[in-house]
Each structure stands twice: as structure tokens, then as C-alpha cells.
Amino acid sequence: MRIITLFSFLIGFHAVIYCNTTDSLLNILDESLTKRDIYIRQKEDKLLQLSNMLNSSKTKEEEYQRTKQIMEEYSYFISDSALYYSKKCMDLATELNNDEYVLDMKLRTAHLLSFPQLFHESFKILESVDPEKMPTAYKMKYYSTYIHVYHNQIKDINDMFYIKKYKSKQSAYIDAYLSIAGKGSIEYLRILTYKYYMDGMIKEAARTMNLILQYPDTTPYMHAESLFNLGEVFMIAGKGNWAEAKKYLILASIEYNRLAIKKNPPLMYLARILQKEGNTDRAYSYIDMAMEDAKTFSNNYRHSIAEKTHMLIKDTYYDKIRGQQKSLQYYLGIISACLFLLSAALILMYKHNKILNRTKQELSIVNVALKEQNHIKKIYIGHYLTMYSLYITKLEDYRKSVIRKIKSGYTEEFLKSENNLLNNAQNEIDLLFSDFDNTFLELYPDFVENVNRLLSEDSRYMLKDEKRMNTELRILALLKLGISDNKKIASFLRVTVQTVYNYRSKIKAKAIDEDGFEDEVKRVTI
């Protein structure tokens, strides 16, 4: 009956109140996931609206509050963007000379930095403030931030020595928080739940988490996270509690999808349970979405866990497919006979259509040539690069998967052959870069010369090979093509987001006009 009470919190799913089976909940989740793109667009539209409001700010105070609101929205969606706006908030707080705003932003930034595993930077910020000089409300937030940062750090390591060390430090901050926080607040109950969870008191953790779900003023984001946390608690409690875990993880996944939350996707945990239960198709579909969410949020730890789970579920899924293929062989024989009879008719149809298709193809080529303008070239190149990069990634995954399977049963010679293919991955990446350089410089033959005009004389680029660019020029080329997101650039160049950021800073330092340099690069013409 407790799970039925929770359904009333799901906006847009009032019919769920009358459901009492996991299958019914899974069907509702599947229906919700068909609207995944709609919810993401709604999130993006909201962020765009907030951005427009920010641009119309009349005072620094108004600008600070609106920037903070955008940061909070991104903190559940894309961590890199949340960090970007937290820096803007910090700059505005400094301009306003508001110590309270500055302290608030320091604590928020320290928490955000822990998601991309920048723990050194998180702790450096926390160590720069003195909790004894803070009001009680901020001292509570200070302790809470330490708890969250240590939680993310513990999740990221496997060494038991350091896990025990960090848990001990975290426990001290938990006790410090609980000693000064008001016992009736939601945040107090959340920290208390976490303490029970860390101490192995699963029943107490679940009971306290349920109290949070009953609060009428719980925000949608907090409500969704609470459902996920409750599902995770039951999952860790053991297989005997998986029925409860599934229900809460499904409810959390529905709300996460509706709110376009990309942080800590509950679909990942749900997929693991479904895979153990033999529901391979759903598990495979869910883990793919969980990996996509983890990549979008840029949470390295969650992505690595999702990737391992994805490989396990994929193996099970392929085993199922192979079994289905054997049962289809009989029907394939019958179909082959039918296809033979149809072949004669198809040959005749092919001959008649060949001339027509050739004419259509020629007309299509002419139409494409007429429409081949600068804007279409950009779209074509961007799409081409994305597909090429995706092809290399998929090829690497495929080869690794095949090699792993061969090790479990195929001949050593076949294994060596596949290993040779795997070793060619770097050659394919080099070929991608070479092809990109050639294609781009053919479309923009004066690109390097135009860029050099924007740089100081002693910082200009000289190509050793007229058709080969270095990493800095490739980043500028991608900016010219409209690809400005650091994560996408890093994915194409096979480097980290931080490396791309460093390169862009280095390049701008060479520019005559640093602030307007990248915009000028984007306006470079053929």
C-alpha cells in the first residue's frame, strides 16, 4: 500500500494510482520513454527562455539571480554547463560585493566539481572557507557539501584502504551536520537516511526516505532523486528486496525522463535487475539510454559503470539473438525457395527500372550541385565527421567484443587475426584526421591564411604539409563548422574536455582580439 501512496506524486500519471503490478509500471515507463525527445526539447526550451530573460536583466542583482537559476537547471542536465554558469555567478557575486552570495557559490561549485571527478579542486575550495565564521544555515550547507563530495569520491575508487579512510572523514561531517540541523527539515532527513545507509541500517534508511516522499513541499527534482535513492537502497539490500527496488526505480525513471534529468540515471540500475531476471530486451534498451544520459551529463563514474553493465547485457542479448537465429533457419530455407521464384520477376523489373533510376540519379546529382552552397557544405562536413567518428568508435567496440568471445572458444589463429584488426584503430583515427584536413582545406583553401590575420605576427601557423593541420587548427576548423561544444570537440579529437579547454585558451591568447577571436573564425569565408 505504501507504493500506491507514492504514485500520487507523479504529475501526468494519475492513472498509475490504480496499478499494482511491476508489468503495468514498466508499460507506463515504456510509454514515457517514447516522449523522451519531447521532454528534452522542453528542457532546452526552458533553458533558452531563461537565457533570454538573463540577457534582458536590468541590474546586477537580477542578472545574478537569473544566472543562478540557469545553473541549477543545468546541474541536473549537463555538468559542464552548470560549472560554466557557476563561474559566472561567482563573478557576479564578487561584483556585487555580497559575501553571502560568494560563499553560496563556493559551496555549490565545490559540489559540481566532484561530478567530473575534480576532487582536488572541490576540496581546495572547501578548505578556503572557515565554517566557524559562517551562519548556521551555511555551516549546514558546508558540511552537506563535504558529504556529497566524499560520496562521489568513494564511488570513484576501488581501493579499500582509501574507501575506509574517506568514509571515516565523511562520517565525521555527517555527525557534525546532524548535530546542528533542524530535525524536521527535508535535508536533515536526507542526511540521516544516508547515515543509515552507510551504517547498513537498510530498514531505517527506507523508512526515513519514505518520510521525505510524503513532504508536500518537496521539489520535483528532489522527489525524483528520493525515489531513485529508495530504489537503490532496496537494491543493495539484496535480491529478496528487488521487487521493491524495481518499483521505485521504475517510478524514478519515469520522473527522471519527464524532468530530463541526466544525473545518475536510475535506468542503469533497473537494467541490471531486469537483466538478472531474464528481461533482456528491456535491459538492453534501458542501458543504452542510461549510457546516453551519463555521457550527456558528463559523469565519468556513472558512464564507466553503465559501460560495464552495457557489455554484460549486450552479451546476454546477443546470446538470445543467436538462439532465435537457429530457430529461423528452417524458415529461411522456405523463404529462399520463394526468393528464387521471385528473382526472375525482380530481374525483369530491374532492367526496366535501370534506365529510369539512372536518369533519376543524374537529375539528383545536378540538383545537389545546384544547391551546394556554403551553409550546406558546413552541414555536410559536420554530419560526415560525426558519422566517421561514430564509425571508428563502434568498430573498436565491435573488435574488442569479438576478441573477447574468441578467447572463450575459437582458434588462436582467428584471435590473432582479430587482434591485428584492433591494432589498426589508431591508423583509422589518423586516416580520419587526414581525411578531415584534406576535405576542410579543399573547401576553405585560405582558412589558415585568414586565421593568421587574426593572430599576432609571432604566433601565426605554418603548415609543414599543406594538407595537414595540427590540433589547434583542427579545433578552429570545428568551430568554423559550428561545433563549439567542448565535449563534442573532445570526442572527435580523442582527448579530454579539459585538454580542449586548455587548447582554446592557448589559441585565444595568441589572438589580436581575444574576446572576439572565435566569432571572427566562425565568420571566415571561402
Side-chain angles (χ1 to χ4, degrees):
M1 295 302 293
R2 178 177 59 195
I3 189 65
I4 295 176
T5 303
L6 292 175
F7 292 163
S8 60
F9 290 94
L10 295 175
I11 300 174
F13 294 102
H14 298 296
V16 182
I17 297 175
Y18 303 102
C19 298
N20 55 9
T21 66
T22 302
D23 288 341
S24 298
L25 291 176
L26 285 172
N27 290 334
I28 293 173
L29 173 58
D30 290 340
E31 175 64 24
S32 173
L33 293 174
T34 63
K35 303 175 183 177
R36 181 179 174 87
D37 292 339
I38 296 175
Y39 295 136
I40 292 175
R41 283 198 299 272
Q42 290 175 350
K43 180 76 168 183
E44 292 171 343
D45 289 343
K46 181 177 182 180
L47 288 167
L48 178 59
Q49 182 182 8
L50 291 173
S51 180
N52 291 334
M53 292 173 61
L54 173 62
N55 293 333
S56 64
S57 299
K58 296 180 179 179
T59 64
K60 287 294 181 183
E61 175 68 27
E62 194 174 59
E63 185 178 356
Y64 171 81
Q65 295 299 337
R66 290 174 177 176
T67 303
K68 180 179 176 182
Q69 188 176 0
I70 295 175
M71 177 201 70
E72 290 172 346
E73 287 293 329
Y74 270 121
S75 67
Y76 292 90
F77 191 48
I78 301 176
S79 65
D80 289 345
S81 298
L83 279 169
Y84 170 78
Y85 281 100
S86 72
K87 184 180 182 303
K88 292 191 68 175
C89 280
M90 179 64 75
D91 293 340
L92 289 167
T94 303
E95 288 184 43
L96 289 168
N97 197 26
N98 190 313
D99 293 339
E100 184 176 323
Y101 287 174
V102 170
L103 176 59
D104 184 48
M105 279 304 111
K106 283 185 176 181
L107 298 179
R108 289 175 181 269
T109 302
H111 188 196
L112 289 171
L113 285 168
S114 68
F115 288 106
Q117 301 176 348
L118 299 175
F119 302 114
H120 174 75
E121 290 77 1
S122 293
F123 288 124
K124 188 175 180 180
I125 292 175
L126 291 171
E127 290 166 2
S128 70
V129 296
D130 185 1
E132 299 306 321
K133 297 179 180 180
M134 300 179 188
T136 301
Y138 280 98
K139 187 180 293 187
M140 291 164 52
K141 190 169 184 178
Y142 171 81
Y143 293 145
S144 175
T145 303
Y146 255 115
I147 294 168
H148 289 303
V149 172
Y150 273 122
H151 171 75
N152 290 335
Q153 188 176 38
I154 292 169
K155 289 282 188 180
D156 186 51
I157 58 176
N158 296 317
D159 190 303
M160 289 305 301
F161 172 80
Y162 287 104
I163 290 177
K164 184 177 180 180
K165 176 182 177 181
Y166 295 146
K167 281 186 175 180
S168 176
K169 292 183 178 181
Q170 184 188 49
S171 179
Y173 285 109
I174 291 174
D175 292 340
Y177 177 90
L178 295 176
S179 67
I180 63 173
K183 295 186 177 180
S185 68
I186 294 178
E187 188 62 21
Y188 175 87
L189 293 176
R190 293 182 70 189
I191 301 300
L192 181 61
T193 299
Y194 187 70
K195 176 178 175 60
Y196 287 146
Y197 165 76
M198 295 297 291
D199 293 342
M201 303 169 66
I202 302 301
K203 291 183 179 179
E204 290 79 0
R207 184 175 61 251
T208 309
M209 186 62 68
N210 265 307
L211 292 177
I212 297 174
L213 291 169
Q214 303 301 325
Y215 270 64
D217 57 344
T218 304
T219 67
Y221 287 134
M222 187 177 295
H223 186 263
E225 282 194 324
S226 297
L227 287 171
F228 166 57
N229 292 335
L230 188 53
E232 187 179 11
V233 165
F234 279 117
M235 184 177 177
I236 294 173
K239 193 172 182 179
N241 295 280
W242 278 9
E244 286 291 294
K246 279 174 62 178
K247 290 181 181 180
Y248 288 110
L249 289 173
I250 293 170
L251 290 173
S253 297
I254 293 172
E255 291 207 14
Y256 267 58
N257 185 55
R258 180 174 57 81
L259 296 169
I261 300 176
K262 302 297 183 181
K263 181 176 73 174
N264 299 337
L267 280 174
M268 179 176 69
Y269 294 86
L270 181 59
R272 290 165 62 183
I273 294 179
L274 293 176
Q275 189 266 338
K276 293 290 185 181
E277 294 179 345
N279 195 342
T280 309
D281 291 339
R282 268 199 174 105
Y284 188 78
S285 174
Y286 290 171
I287 196 62
D288 272 349
M289 295 182 189
M291 288 187 67
E292 181 183 340
D293 286 347
K295 288 179 181 179
T296 299
F297 185 71
S298 188
N299 188 327
N300 295 331
Y301 168 74
R302 294 299 179 189
H303 178 256
S304 65
I305 295 298
E307 191 169 25
K308 293 176 183 177
T309 307
H310 179 266
M311 294 301 297
L312 176 63
I313 293 175
K314 185 171 70 173
D315 289 343
T316 305
Y317 180 76
Y318 285 159
D319 288 341
K320 178 182 178 181
I321 295 299
R322 283 192 290 271
Q324 293 174 341
Q325 288 175 340
K326 290 181 180 179
S327 66
L328 289 173
Q329 288 178 354
Y330 171 76
Y331 298 102
L332 286 175
I334 298 175
I335 294 172
S336 297
C338 296
L339 289 175
F340 178 78
L341 296 175
L342 289 173
S343 296
L346 290 174
I347 291 172
L348 293 174
M349 292 175 62
Y350 173 76
K351 289 181 178 179
H352 286 289
N353 290 331
K354 189 174 182 180
I355 298 175
L356 179 60
N357 289 336
R358 186 183 299 115
T359 303
K360 289 181 178 179
Q361 186 176 11
E362 292 172 354
L363 290 174
S364 176
I365 293 173
V366 172
N367 288 333
V368 171
L370 291 173
K371 295 178 181 178
E372 209 169 55
Q373 300 298 326
N374 187 49
H375 180 66
I376 296 179
K377 288 177 183 177
K378 293 179 184 178
I379 296 176
Y380 164 74
I381 295 171
H383 178 70
Y384 159 75
L385 293 176
T386 301
M387 294 303 294
Y388 203 163
S389 179
L390 181 61
Y391 162 75
I392 292 175
T393 301
K394 287 185 176 180
L395 183 60
E396 290 173 356
D397 290 343
Y398 166 74
R399 288 172 178 165
K400 291 177 183 178
S401 177
V402 171
I403 290 170
R404 186 179 65 254
K405 293 176 183 176
I406 291 175
K407 286 181 179 179
S408 64
Y410 284 78
T411 65
E412 185 66 24
E413 292 77 10
F414 190 39
L415 176 60
K416 291 179 180 179
S417 174
E418 288 299 327
N419 270 315
N420 289 334
L421 290 175
L422 183 59
N423 292 332
N424 288 331
Q426 184 58 46
N427 292 335
E428 293 181 355
I429 294 173
D430 293 338
L431 180 60
L432 168 63
F433 291 156
S434 177
D435 194 31
F436 167 65
D437 295 347
N438 290 334
T439 303
F440 183 83
L441 291 176
E442 285 178 7
L443 290 173
Y444 299 93
D446 299 326
F447 179 74
V448 177
E449 182 180 347
N450 290 330
V451 168
N452 280 337
R453 292 195 186 101
L454 305 174
L455 304 176
S456 58
E457 187 171 352
D458 59 345
S459 300
R460 293 176 178 175
Y461 295 105
M462 296 294 292
L463 298 182
K464 296 181 179 179
D465 183 340
E466 63 179 8
K467 292 296 185 180
R468 189 72 172 178
M469 295 189 291
N470 59 22
T471 301
E472 293 181 12
L473 283 172
R474 288 188 188 117
I475 291 175
L476 294 176
L478 291 171
L479 290 174
K480 170 60 189 167
L481 296 175
I483 303 172
S484 57
D485 183 71
N486 283 345
K487 186 165 62 175
K488 292 182 179 179
I489 296 174
S491 175
F492 172 70
L493 295 178
R494 297 301 191 275
V495 296
T496 64
V497 173
Q498 184 61 45
T499 299
V500 174
Y501 176 82
N502 293 340
Y503 267 120
R504 290 177 72 169
S505 299
K506 177 182 176 182
I507 296 169
K508 285 197 289 186
K510 300 177 181 180
I512 298 172
D513 177 13
E514 292 187 31
D515 294 334
F517 173 68
E518 292 189 352
D519 290 334
E520 289 295 331
V521 170
K522 294 175 184 178
R523 286 194 287 269
V524 168
T525 60
I526 295 178

